[in-house]
Amino acid sequence: MTGDATAPMPNASAATALGVDDVTGPRAAPVLRHVSLSVPRGGSHVVLGPMHSGKSTLLRLILGLDRAVSGRVTIDGSTFDAARATEDQLRHMRRRVGVVFDSSALVSRLTLLENVMLPLAEHMTVGADQARETAAGLLHDVGVAGDLERTPDRLTRLDRRRAALARALVLEPAVLIVDEPGNGLDPHAAAELDETMQALHERYRCGILICTQEVRYAFHWPSVVSVLANGRIVEQGSLDELLNSRHEAVRRFVDRRGAA
C-alpha cells in the first residue's frame, strides 16, 4: 500500500466494516453523485432503489470494477481512493469483501465445489484438501445438498444463489454485499434464502449491505436504510424515519410495504 490511499478515513469508526464517502461515478458517465453510507461490523444496511437507480453501479464502484470520479471507500480499516486505487490496493480490498451478484455469477464450466473453492485459489495459499473441505462445509451450511460435482446449469435458481452465498463467505469477509437477493425467486424460495442469509449473518458476524428494490428487506433486517433515487441518496436513517418521510421517492417505497 502506498500514499494516502490506505489512510484512515476522517471520523471513520473502527467499528465500521464498510464506508462509502462522497462517491461520484462511474468516470465514463456518472450515475451516482455524492453517495455516502456505512455498514457497521456485524450490522446491516439496506439500500432501496427502483430499477436503474444505480444500486448495481454502487456495488461496482465499491469493488473498483468501475472507476469513480471522486470519493473514497473504506473496507475493514483500509481506505482507498475510489478514483485512483492501484490494482494491488483493489486486490487487498476485495479479499475482505464477499459479493453475491443478482445473477449469482457462477462460472459455468466449474463444478459447484470448484466455484466455492475459487476465491481460496485466487487469494490464499491453501492445500487442495483443505480448500475442498472448507468449500463443502460452507455448501452444507447454506443448505445445498447432493452432488457437489454438478455444474451450475444443473442447479435450481435458489441453489445457484445459495452457492454464490457460500463462495462469498469462503474468505470470511469483513462485509458481505448482496445485490437483489430475491431476484427471479418465487416467494417461497426467496423466504428460504432470507432465512439462510440471516442465519449466516448471525454466525459470521460480518457486515452486510443489501441492495434491492424490495422494501420488505427494510422491515426484516434491523438496519440503517438508504433510499437511492436519481443517482443520490434521498433518505438515510432508521425504518421509523423511512416510514415518516415525506420525500416522494421514499413514499413510493413505503406505500409498497404490504410486501413485507
Side-chain angles (χ1 to χ4, degrees):
M1 308 298 161
T2 59
D4 293 333
T6 56
M9 182 183 291
N11 301 320
S13 168
T16 300
L18 167 66
V20 177
D21 181 36
D22 198 29
V23 167
T24 294
R27 186 180 299 168
V31 172
L32 300 180
R33 299 184 184 277
H34 307 294
V35 170
S36 297
L37 58 84
S38 65
V39 181
R41 294 183 190 275
S44 56
H45 193 125
V46 175
V47 176
L48 290 174
M51 290 181 65
H52 311 302
S53 62
K55 300 185 299 298
S56 295
T57 298
L58 174 62
L59 183 158
R60 294 182 62 83
L61 291 172
I62 290 172
L63 295 175
L65 299 174
D66 288 333
R67 287 306 179 111
V69 174
S70 60
R72 295 196 294 176
V73 175
T74 297
I75 304 288
D76 197 24
S78 294
T79 298
F80 302 85
D81 186 316
R84 295 187 294 273
T86 67
E87 287 303 316
D88 283 347
Q89 290 166 345
L90 292 173
R91 180 178 175 83
H92 172 81
M93 177 268 290
R94 291 166 186 160
R95 163 69 178 79
R96 303 299 298 137
V97 181
V99 184
V100 180
F101 295 95
D102 65 345
S103 63
S104 298
L106 299 176
V107 181
S108 60
R109 70 178 183 277
L110 299 182
T111 68
L112 180 56
L113 196 60
E114 288 169 338
N115 266 282
V116 180
M117 292 167 59
L118 190 59
L120 295 172
E122 291 179 341
H123 294 282
M124 298 183 70
T125 304
V126 177
D129 289 344
Q130 182 182 346
R132 290 179 68 86
E133 181 179 348
T134 299
L138 263 170
L139 286 165
H140 176 271
D141 290 345
V142 300
V144 177
D147 181 10
L148 301 186
E149 299 300 329
R150 289 172 291 171
T151 50
D153 62 301
R154 295 173 56 198
L155 300 174
T156 66
R157 185 166 295 185
L158 174 58
D159 277 352
R160 287 197 296 270
R161 201 67 52 84
R162 283 172 163 165
L165 181 59
R167 184 181 59 185
L169 290 170
V170 73
L171 296 178
E172 299 185 3
V175 62
L176 175 67
I177 303 176
V178 187
D179 189 20
E180 296 291 1
N183 185 34
L185 300 179
D186 64 52
H188 179 72
E192 285 191 31
L193 183 66
D194 291 350
E195 291 176 4
T196 300
M197 287 171 52
Q198 288 173 334
L200 291 172
H201 181 237
E202 292 176 6
R203 177 174 175 179
Y204 284 88
R205 301 309 302 163
C206 58
I208 183 168
L209 176 67
I210 299 174
C211 299
T212 182
Q213 59 181 314
E214 296 185 63
V215 69
R216 63 190 180 86
Y217 286 96
F219 287 79
H220 291 171
W221 287 79
S223 59
V224 175
V225 181
S226 294
V227 177
L228 191 60
N230 299 320
R232 297 178 182 270
I233 291 179
V234 298
E235 189 80 62
Q236 187 172 92
S238 67
L239 176 60
D240 285 344
E241 290 170 317
L242 182 77
L243 293 174
N244 291 312
S245 174
R246 295 185 178 181
H247 194 286
E248 181 182 354
V250 179
R251 295 308 312 171
R252 283 198 294 267
F253 276 105
V254 171
D255 290 343
R256 291 161 51 190
R257 66 187 181 272

